[in-house]
Amino acid sequence: MRAIRSSTRSRDGSRPGAAARRPKATPVANKRNTEAEDAPAQLKSERSRDLILKSAAQLFRRQGFSATTLRQIAAKAKIKAGSIYYHFESKEEILDEVLDRGLRHVFESVKNAVERAGKVSHRRRIGLAIEAHLVALLETSDFTSANIRIYGQLPEHLKKPHRPLRRAYAEYWDQLFIDARRAGEIRADMEVVPLRMFVIGALNWTIEWFRLEDRDAVLELAERTELLIFEGVSKP
Amino acid sequence: MRAIRSSTRSRDGSRPGAAARRPKATPVANKRNTEAEDAPAQLKSERSRDLILKSAAQLFRRQGFSATTLRQIAAKAKIKAGSIYYHFESKEEILDEVLDRGLRHVFESVKNAVERAGKVSHRRRIGLAIEAHLVALLETSDFTSANIRIYGQLPEHLKKPHRPLRRAYAEYWDQLFIDARRAGEIRADMEVVPLRMFVIGALNWTIEWFRLEDRDAVLELAERTELLIFEGVSKP
Amino acid sequence: MRAIRSSTRSRDGSRPGAAARRPKATPVANKRNTEAEDAPAQLKSERSRDLILKSAAQLFRRQGFSATTLRQIAAKAKIKAGSIYYHFESKEEILDEVLDRGLRHVFESVKNAVERAGKVSHRRRIGLAIEAHLVALLETSDFTSANIRIYGQLPEHLKKPHRPLRRAYAEYWDQLFIDARRAGEIRADMEVVPLRMFVIGALNWTIEWFRLEDRDAVLELAERTELLIFEGVSKP
Amino acid sequence: MRAIRSSTRSRDGSRPGAAARRPKATPVANKRNTEAEDAPAQLKSERSRDLILKSAAQLFRRQGFSATTLRQIAAKAKIKAGSIYYHFESKEEILDEVLDRGLRHVFESVKNAVERAGKVSHRRRIGLAIEAHLVALLETSDFTSANIRIYGQLPEHLKKPHRPLRRAYAEYWDQLFIDARRAGEIRADMEVVPLRMFVIGALNWTIEWFRLEDRDAVLELAERTELLIFEGVSKP
DNA sequence: CATGAATGAGTCTTCATTCAT
DNA sequence: CATGAATGAAGACTCATTCAT
């Protein structure tokens, strides 16, 4: 599996230290989990950064980008607003990284789930993708849910750097469907792009209403969704 | 068909004229179109108000509520920012009315479409509802699309007044599905609430990607969606 | 008795009609009552003007000049804010006339009371002046109370035109005291200016606490005040 | 002597630091002077806060509350308008504290003066109270003069939190008079409340005309006032 | 005479950002 | 690394004022 590269624009430090020094766009392919990076030997700096990002993600997700203030983020991260600027150059940089992590996280999750499955039916592969997408969105990552929820309302210049990765993710799904169709598991007359829109749309919208209760709720939702997508609602 | 009542909180005019005077919650049941109110004898004031609302809806939809400034709204309505306050008491009041009009518009549209159909299969009824919802969302109403898109990120106190109408709309859909299931056109084991979530979710998400090109695009999308929902993607 | 001339600066109409046409600074010497000018044959215009002024006076008195908006004044006068400009050129012009009427009213009242008394002791004359001042302030004139209350906080350019009349009023009181002292009814070592400040101060401050209840309350207050001023609080 | 407690409503810091941190209602009983707090080790923040308050007090006093803009206050304190919000949550909060300090200052001054005097005649005690009140008002405290001058024109909700302390101050004076009357130094038929109104009114009104020139002017004024109140103006 | 509708200058307030400590 | 203190640009909102009708 290829590592997913960060799509974020590079910023060369106008600030002395900060931006330049830290290794922002580490390829994360070999990391098990993108988020729970409580590696024991993590620098204090690194921990603060992460906390800021996580706080930001939660707030962005709930309130949107522009309704979220740096003071809110700082409060949630238990620091003072000014301190954020040691770790980030601007609010937009935080957004950038939140978006990036978010998409990379689902992408990785889905890819991993599918690839780990090995030789299975295409429907099964798609089912796993659905599940992984939903889990990322609803259970494991505030980054992913923030991304999904706020991306559409951002101004062009903030969306732009994330297009390539988004495109790649879309194509990954398209490929799943193409493969399934070629194998005859999906009707031949089904166009892939609208299908992907429909499926991902139904998945993404869950953010708006789904409230995580017990562990299995997401899995059940995933199963239900797969069934719906493949069989439809009609009496068989 | 009963008119849909405005769910919005009433505001008693502390403002000069406007707020108090205009008949905000007019039942719109008998109007063909809620929005293109180019009634000939419309007061100047009424026209400004509408223009402001329409401008606001477009901007809210594109950028979200908090990223939209009154100056932007005013510019789009070709007036000065201060003048908005002749017609509205606050930015929130504008939001309120945008949300209200938006939901009432889809609701009316869907209801009308279904009721106009008369005696048809339940699948057909649902198909018509899907079409009406999509048309309202993607073609006819910036209010509806604004509502759908921004509602989820609003703070509690702004969402609250719109709950009842939202609930009513949800229940209307539920009833469509319940009827269809009772009639055997939908599988008996299909639970209605998740189904509605799934369907409306898929529809609503179209906002995020669908770009209106030609007249028929939405109708085609609607048809495709109906097929998908009823038959699923599997080879028959 | 000489009529008291308006001290207000004249404004030559930059506006077409309004300011120029109406007889603003009518000497009021021969009118019985400066305020209850409900003369039967009063023009509608004249009535509106008066109503605006009276409304303004009440509001100025209660809230001060700058906290009072033209819309509040208009509302109280049961017209719309824009209409005020038919009668006045600016908020300041209203203020000007309120102040002027207010001071002229007390001045007239006091003068009348004293002069009407004819040949009486100086103490009696001063007592009558006290009573008249208090009645004007607390009972009959919102103009007077507005004047007393807000004058001190106005910017220079608004106070200036009223200085002469204020000075004249002060001198009138001074004369009362001088006469009384010359006649031996006031101690010879008593300086007149501080005395006048003291007396008028005590009277004016009643605005801050006195709430008119029954008809006689003011008269009783006046009597008490006279006693206090002449005899002091000591045991005789 | 008991410290005078702040009557001001408490504000729990929604603001960053300031509001929450500072010990607003410090009992000041043992401080010599409430205002000239040039304590050597004062924090920068504390100094700014004080400067803002002092500037505000001066402007409020001269122009009233609503005519005073934050920009004016800021300019006088040599900062930018926005910076005020680091120290205060709103213009009203500034007012609140100005009023509070103002009243506490006179109250303390008067109390101290009277209590320091020890065993003296009641007339002497009242004389000292008069002097202390006048000194606070005219010489030492912009807070006190601001309070006295603007309180009456404030809207209810701004006056309300200060009622208890005002009441307490009034009662303190009442007690002085009651004691004097009981001791026979004031005529038995003299009612206390109107007397207090009269005396305090005469004192407070000095704000409107007294201009501090030399050091002794206030003391002389106080003496004169005491004489007037006790002996009246009549020939002995 | 009066009003409806609008304007622009100014108000309080917020917020991302800076920087000395 | 972090904070306290401040800034300036911008935001929502107010208000005296204008003027066509």
Side-chain angles (χ1 to χ4, degrees), chain B residues 29-168:
Chain B
N30 44 357
K31 274 197 196 166
R32 216 50 326 168
N33 49 354
T34 314
E35 279 171 49
E37 9 201 349
D38 36 4
Q42 204 187 15
L43 294 152
K44 187 182 179 197
S45 168
E46 207 65 24
R47 243 179 305 122
S48 288
R49 241 186 89 84
D50 271 24
L51 196 48
I52 292 168
L53 285 170
K54 213 171 281 186
S55 307
Q58 276 169 41
L59 290 162
F60 288 167
R61 176 213 164 127
R62 214 174 298 152
Q63 315 173 337
F65 176 66
S66 96
T68 299
T69 73
L70 287 179
R71 278 208 230 308
Q72 290 174 323
I73 296 173
K76 201 164 231 213
K78 287 184 207 308
I79 55 173
K80 295 287 144 39
S83 309
I84 290 181
Y85 286 82
Y86 182 78
H87 303 281
F88 299 91
E89 268 167 33
S90 67
K91 195 185 172 190
E92 295 196 356
E93 203 199 44
I94 298 178
L95 173 71
D96 243 26
E97 191 154 341
V98 165
L99 291 179
D100 196 55
R101 286 204 188 187
L103 195 47
R104 274 161 62 220
H105 179 67
V106 232
F107 201 164
E108 299 282 341
S109 302
V110 168
K111 244 183 179 166
N112 276 332
V114 170
E115 291 174 17
R116 232 180 307 141
K119 264 262 176 247
V120 291
S121 73
H122 287 94
R123 172 159 173 176
R124 180 74 188 122
R125 286 162 63 89
I126 291 172
L128 287 165
I130 288 173
E131 186 185 300
H133 186 97
L134 282 179
V135 168
L137 191 62
L138 302 173
E139 212 180 304
T140 61
S141 176
D142 291 326
F143 295 96
T144 297
S145 46
N147 182 316
I148 296 300
R149 230 202 191 186
I150 69 182
Y151 185 80
Q153 295 181 27
L154 296 173
E156 260 309 293
H157 75 279
L158 294 178
K159 287 198 275 200
K160 196 167 166 211
H162 302 280
R163 289 250 168 71
L165 192 52
R166 297 205 133 223
R167 174 119 305 279

Side-chain angles (χ1 to χ4, degrees), chain D residues 29-92:
Chain D
N30 43 359
K31 276 197 195 165
R32 215 48 329 163
N33 49 352
T34 313
E35 281 172 46
E37 10 202 349
D38 38 2
Q42 203 186 14
L43 293 152
K44 189 184 179 196
S45 166
E46 207 66 25
R47 243 180 305 122
S48 289
R49 241 186 89 83
D50 271 22
L51 196 47
I52 292 169
L53 284 170
K54 213 171 281 187
S55 307
Q58 277 169 42
L59 289 161
F60 288 166
R61 176 214 165 129
R62 215 174 299 152
Q63 316 174 337
F65 176 65
S66 94
T68 299
T69 73
L70 287 179
R71 279 208 229 307
Q72 290 175 322
I73 297 174
K76 202 164 231 217
K78 287 185 207 308
I79 56 174
K80 295 289 143 42
S83 309
I84 290 180
Y85 285 81
Y86 182 78
H87 303 280
F88 299 91
E89 269 167 31
S90 66
K91 194 186 172 190
E92 295 196 357

Side-chain angles (χ1 to χ4, degrees), chain B residues 199-220:
Chain B
V199 172
I200 300 221
L203 299 183
N204 285 349
W205 195 260
T206 56
I207 261 191
E208 303 286 333
W209 56 270
F210 186 84
R211 290 297 155 254
L212 188 59
E213 279 142 13
D214 64 293
R215 223 73 253 293
D216 294 331
V218 180
L219 300 186
E220 199 198 314

